[in-house]
Amino acid sequence: MKQEVILTTKNLKKSYDNEQLVLKDMSFSLEKGEVVVVVGPSGCGKSTFLRCLNMLEPIDSGTISFKDQVIERDRKDAYTIRQKIGMVFQSYDLFPHLTILGNILLAPLKVQKREKQELIQEAEQLLKRVGLLDKKDAYPRQLSGGQKQRVAIVRALMMHPEILLLDEITAALDPEMVREVLQVVLELAKEGMTMVIVTHEMEFAKAVSDRVLFMDQGLVVEEGKPEDFFTSPQTERAKQFLNTFHYEAI
Amino acid sequence: MQNLGIQVLFQGNNFLRLCGGLWQSLQIAVISMVLSIVLGMILGIVMTSPKKLVRFLCRIYLEIVRIMPQLVLLFLVYFGAAKHLNINLPGSWAAVIVFTFWGAAEMGDLVRSALQSIPVHQYQSGFGLGMTKLQVYRYVIIPQTVRRLLPSVMNLLTRMIKTTSLVVLIGVIEVVKVGKQIIDSSRYTVPDAALWVYGVIFIMYFAICYPFSRAAAMLDKKIKD
Amino acid sequence: MDFEFIRGNVPLYVEAAGITLRISFLGILLSTVIGLLCSLVKVFKIPVLGFVVNCYIEISRNTPLLIQLFFLYFGLPKLGIVLSSEGCAITGLAFLGGSYMAEAFRTGIEQVPKIQTETGLSLGLTKWQVFLHIILPQAIATSVPVFCANIIFLIKETSVFSAVALADLMFVAKDLIGIYYKTDEALFMLVTAYLMILLPISLLCSWVERRVRYAEFGNSSAVPGK
């Protein structure tokens, strides 16, 4: 069964301030319904890669295409394409001046100009699913980190994105809150949501992904199915990287 | 070209007279500033006193200074002194008194907040090394405070220089007053002297204040980085 | 102290205070508009306008209001631009206040973390929508303390308007001293009038500041609610 490819990058290169390349020649494609997890040591460029996919960073060369359409940061249609690519960040990036419901409704109301009543219903359903319906009128500061991150996911889902980018969404959380957030992501994966996930949670990566990308120094060093990658990595660098997660091995 | 009003500046010693007037304003600003810094340092330390009453009194003083327009304070001292002390206090003296009264309060508050922004463990590690209280202040606290204070002190100085323009309203012969005299004396020969004279005074103030505020902004940035 | 004299002249002061308040209100309103526009130009880094705004801010902040007023009142008529005392006062106050307000808003805007903009963009909002719905509300909350301080500062600055023949509080006080030699009474009423204007406003400002601070809008990376 051959699936439709919805996002590709070709020979993507990116540097900050024209210094050392953060991304050296990234070529990548994502199929509909696929969950790709990107892992790698800090500073390997995985977050930058994700940010480029959402046009938050200008790229030096190469192309990014969404469904055969090349996308560029400065073009007018950047805004329409961004609606189809949702993103959740590491920091609790809820808008502090809006209630939870206000946070969730802002973009669908202003960007997609959808009917408010219908939106509220949808938002309440989603909030109920992530167990936060009772918080809908609270302000972000009244929520825990895990709760905020679940709201951020709901906020991204409200735009009905075709792809969801998750950038280390549990990295800033207290350990006991990590599970409640990852649970939501696992359910989304089960429902067939297309996702690119950057994470340091290896167990979660193993459970959620269809494909793993191991990046180091701006390049994809190894790529494969999770069961292969985590049990028998092929490259030396991937072995070393995975070893850092096994304290008992030391 | 007979209509060129700018010539008024070069008639006789007009330009020099304006500069002399400006010098008078600057003297008031500088003397007041020096007094303010000295008194403000003391006041700042007093403001960190553990005694509630002392802090309360300082607070009242600061609020009075902050809430009253400087011109009102000038009027109070200038006209009040003439009436009650039966002395004809020169306007420039009144100005120095008022600006020092105001500057010391502002300076005190700056010193207080700079002192309080220094973490307690800085004091403690000083004492831990066996220094006396005086030594801790001399070698640990004051050097750090001065660095933090410098930009705000420069800003206060520009504010003070700008505020000296008010002293013309209590009869001090300074730059604005000299300007008025020049305008009056050339009323018939150069009808649009006002434009040029006030324009030049405007530029003079800018030329003095701008370097200070620029330097303050740069220092501030340097400290924050 | 001659209380009879004081009572007799209360209406004069009330009228003068009305003028001070009206000029302050209009001047501050204009300052806020100018400040908002200038801060937008600076934040969005608009090429030529940005330079003009920078020049304006530096000139306005580094010259005394009194000199600005004299230039407007005595200088400009020579170029054929004649403003009334009130017109001068309002223009002068707006010229001075605009730059102070611009700096207040600009700092407020710059204090909103960059991630807020990125999040907005990633949701598909346009730059302008991000600014209007996400940045501005937070920036206003963080600018409130400086905004309030500016209001008080500008009202105090109005005290120089008597110099361009505006019949404000200082003008009345000076008149009474000059004509009747009732120095104590005139000064007493002057101080009282300013206190009655500035004290409530100052208290109101600190109340607003406290409210905003409790709302904690400004800090998105605050500790998770515990």
Side-chain angles (χ1 to χ4, degrees):
Chain A
M1 187 174 76
K2 180 70 187 155
Q3 286 278 5
E4 175 198 1
V5 172
I6 61 171
L7 190 71
T8 52
T9 70
K10 276 206 187 88
N11 310 104
L12 198 64
K13 287 190 180 125
K14 155 91 192 156
S15 60
Y16 287 108
D17 306 324
N18 289 322
E19 291 195 4
Q20 209 187 345
L21 283 176
V22 187
L23 298 178
K24 311 167 186 163
D25 204 26
M26 284 285 293
S27 292
F28 163 82
S29 71
L30 179 69
E31 287 173 5
K32 197 167 170 49
E34 197 181 18
V35 177
V36 172
V37 169
V38 186
V39 296
S42 338
C44 70
K46 51 194 193 303
S47 281
T48 306
F49 177 56
L50 222 55
R51 292 166 60 85
C52 286
L53 292 183
N54 208 12
M55 294 168 278
L56 289 174
E57 298 284 346
I59 55 177
D60 296 359
S61 66
T63 55
I64 305 172
S65 355
F66 178 77
K67 292 186 172 173
D68 300 329
Q69 184 190 1
V70 175
I71 57 179
E72 272 167 47
R73 190 164 179 260
D74 299 321
R75 282 225 315 252
K76 277 256 183 281
D77 58 359
Y79 295 105
T80 27
I81 290 171
R82 274 207 189 104
Q83 295 173 39
K84 303 200 171 102
I85 306 177
M87 184 157 183
V88 181
F89 299 84
Q90 170 183 338
S91 49
Y92 326 119
D93 55 333
L94 297 184
F95 307 131
H97 61 296
L98 297 173
T99 61
I100 297 311
L101 208 54
N103 262 278
I104 297 174
L105 296 188
L106 179 67
L109 274 178
K110 301 293 170 196
V111 179
Q112 299 177 328
K113 315 246 182 266
R114 281 153 64 194
E115 182 62 42
K116 189 166 182 186
Q117 230 29 56
E118 168 205 318
L119 281 173
I120 292 179
Q121 269 185 5
E122 191 183 338
E124 286 180 348
Q125 249 169 16
L126 283 171
L127 280 175
K128 200 169 167 189
R129 261 190 60 185
V130 300
L132 290 174
L133 186 55
D134 56 325
K135 299 285 186 198
K136 65 175 179 171
D137 295 318
Y139 279 93
R141 68 187 168 92
Q142 296 163 315
L143 267 58
S144 72
Q147 291 172 327
K148 282 187 213 177
Q149 216 45 315
R150 279 182 279 161
V151 172
I153 294 172
V154 169
R155 184 175 63 182
L157 288 176
M158 284 295 285
M159 297 296 286
H160 301 155
E162 299 191 31
I163 304 170
L164 203 53
L165 310 174
L166 306 180
D167 185 8
E168 304 200 31
I169 57 169
T170 56
L173 295 181
D174 290 340
E176 69 269 22
M177 293 170 182
V178 170
R179 177 169 276 277
E180 64 189 44
V181 174
L182 295 185
Q183 197 57 42
V184 174
V185 181
L186 277 169
E187 277 170 36
L188 286 174
K190 225 178 284 170
E191 288 163 20
M193 178 55 119
T194 315
M195 289 188 279
V196 183
I197 303 172
V198 168
T199 184
H200 284 293
E201 302 283 337
M202 290 304 142
E203 287 304 315
F204 164 70
K206 206 186 290 182
V208 79
S209 63
D210 297 315
R211 182 153 56 106
V212 179
L213 243 56
F214 172 67
M215 279 181 72
D216 195 12
Q217 297 177 357
L219 284 170
V220 176
V221 178
E222 189 171 336
E223 186 176 352
K225 287 191 179 309
E227 51 271 31
D228 299 334
F229 176 78
F230 287 107
T231 49
S232 51
Q234 301 299 305
T235 58
E236 201 48 44
R237 270 191 276 175
K239 276 180 202 161
Q240 271 179 11
F241 172 72
L242 287 172
N243 259 333
T244 57
F245 291 89
H246 296 290
Y247 298 102
E248 64 275 12
I250 301 170
Chain B
M1 292 244 274
Q2 47 150 7
N3 239 345
L4 213 57
I6 195 169
Q7 58 180 303
V8 73
L9 297 172
F10 303 109
Q11 277 167 357
N13 54 0
N14 277 356
F15 190 72
L16 276 180
R17 283 174 64 201
L18 277 179
C19 288
L22 192 67
W23 178 234
Q24 173 71 45
S25 310
L26 283 181
Q27 275 180 318
I28 293 175
V30 169
I31 294 172
S32 311
M33 195 65 203
V34 171
L35 290 173
S36 295
I37 290 175
V38 175
L39 293 174
M41 291 266 195
I42 299 166
L43 185 69
I45 294 171
V46 172
M47 279 169 135
T48 58
S49 153
K51 292 199 183 67
K52 263 206 170 125
L53 182 69
V54 175
R55 287 208 309 267
F56 179 73
L57 290 176
C58 290
R59 191 83 220 156
I60 297 272
Y61 165 41
L62 183 66
E63 291 300 326
I64 289 174
V65 172
R66 288 227 168 123
I67 214 165
M68 272 297 130
Q70 280 97 20
L71 190 55
V72 173
L73 296 176
L74 280 174
F75 269 40
L76 283 180
V77 172
Y78 184 66
F79 292 112
K83 167 118 188 198
H84 290 282
L85 305 177
N86 226 350
I87 43 166
N88 217 342
L89 193 65
S92 51
W93 284 42
V96 169
I97 292 173
V98 166
F99 290 168
T100 307
F101 180 73
W102 161 55
E106 292 283 358
M107 187 68 202
D109 197 44
L110 291 174
V111 171
R112 176 199 57 79
S113 77
L115 283 176
Q116 284 175 347
S117 73
I118 289 170
V120 185
H121 62 74
Q122 289 284 327
Y123 293 86
Q124 288 165 349
S125 30
F127 292 132
L129 289 168
M131 292 189 205
T132 64
K133 198 168 176 180
L134 208 64
Q135 284 172 322
V136 171
Y137 270 97
R138 166 75 184 76
Y139 296 107
V140 184
I141 307 304
I142 291 178
Q144 295 185 53
T145 325
V146 168
R147 246 172 75 85
R148 281 172 210 231
L149 273 178
L150 216 52
S152 329
V153 172
M154 286 174 115
N155 278 329
L156 186 60
L157 178 63
T158 30
R159 275 168 71 198
M160 206 161 272
I161 293 172
K162 285 192 293 177
T163 313
T164 54
S165 63
L166 297 182
V167 300
V168 67
L169 302 177
I170 54 167
V172 179
I173 313 284
E174 45 68 85
V175 62
V176 179
K177 187 73 195 170
V178 173
K180 276 184 188 229
Q181 291 167 351
I182 293 175
I183 293 165
D184 283 340
S185 65
S186 52
R187 176 134 292 157
Y188 299 105
T189 50
V190 189
D192 51 357
L195 181 69
W196 294 99
V197 169
Y198 287 124
V200 164
I201 296 176
F202 193 90
I203 294 168
M204 282 175 158
Y205 266 106
F206 180 76
I208 292 172
C209 293
Y210 182 68
F212 285 115
S213 65
R214 205 67 235 138
M218 264 151 62
L219 273 175
D220 199 35
K221 213 173 153 220
K222 212 169 129 192
I223 289 171
K224 274 182 187 144
D225 283 345
Chain C
M1 196 88 78
D2 183 348
F3 286 102
E4 204 50 46
F5 179 83
I6 289 181
R7 197 169 324 138
N9 284 296
V10 164
L12 264 182
Y13 274 87
V14 170
E15 197 185 330
I19 292 177
T20 298
L21 277 176
R22 190 172 69 236
I23 304 279
S24 302
F25 177 76
L26 291 173
I28 290 168
L29 196 69
L30 273 174
S31 301
T32 309
V33 175
I34 295 173
L36 210 52
L37 291 176
C38 290
S39 66
L40 285 185
V41 167
K42 284 195 82 165
V43 168
F44 283 104
K45 299 196 170 64
I46 300 173
V48 181
L49 274 180
F51 177 75
V52 175
V53 165
N54 274 339
C55 289
Y56 156 62
I57 290 178
E58 293 300 344
I59 290 173
S60 150
R61 288 181 72 106
N62 286 302
T63 48
L65 177 60
L66 189 67
I67 311 295
Q68 296 169 6
L69 280 179
F70 278 159
F71 189 75
L72 289 173
Y73 192 69
F74 300 110
L76 283 189
K78 310 295 175 199
L79 291 176
I81 305 167
V82 183
L83 292 170
S84 65
S85 296
E86 245 189 85
C88 266
I90 295 171
T91 314
L93 199 62
F95 180 80
L96 179 77
S99 67
Y100 281 82
M101 292 301 187
E103 291 296 274
F105 295 138
R106 185 183 58 84
T107 351
I109 291 168
E110 281 172 358
Q111 271 172 11
V112 180
K114 209 173 142 228
I115 187 83
Q116 292 277 319
T117 306
E118 293 181 340
T119 309
L121 288 176
S122 78
L123 284 168
L125 295 164
T126 62
K127 271 186 192 165
W128 175 244
Q129 284 174 324
V130 168
F131 182 78
L132 196 66
H133 298 295
I134 298 172
I135 309 301
L136 197 61
Q138 297 182 52
I140 287 175
T142 40
S143 329
V144 162
V146 190
F147 181 76
C148 287
N150 284 350
I151 288 181
I152 294 172
F153 162 71
L154 289 173
I155 296 177
K156 282 165 62 181
E157 287 286 300
T158 61
S159 61
V160 306
F161 290 152
S162 58
V164 290
L166 191 77
D168 72 341
L169 288 167
M170 298 303 298
F171 192 89
V172 170
K174 214 174 163 181
D175 241 20
L176 292 184
I177 294 173
I179 300 169
Y180 303 106
Y181 283 107
K182 295 279 189 189
T183 313
D184 288 344
E185 291 78 2
L187 290 178
F188 171 75
M189 289 169 89
L190 178 69
V191 170
T192 313
Y194 269 109
L195 274 182
M196 281 169 70
I197 293 174
L198 286 164
L199 208 54
I201 293 175
S202 156
L203 290 174
L204 185 72
C205 282
S206 36
W207 179 78
V208 171
E209 267 171 52
R210 262 201 311 278
R211 296 265 339 215
V212 173
R213 198 160 344 121
Y214 284 140
E216 272 179 29
F217 283 162
N219 195 356
S220 70
S221 57
V223 279
K226 276 175 186 163

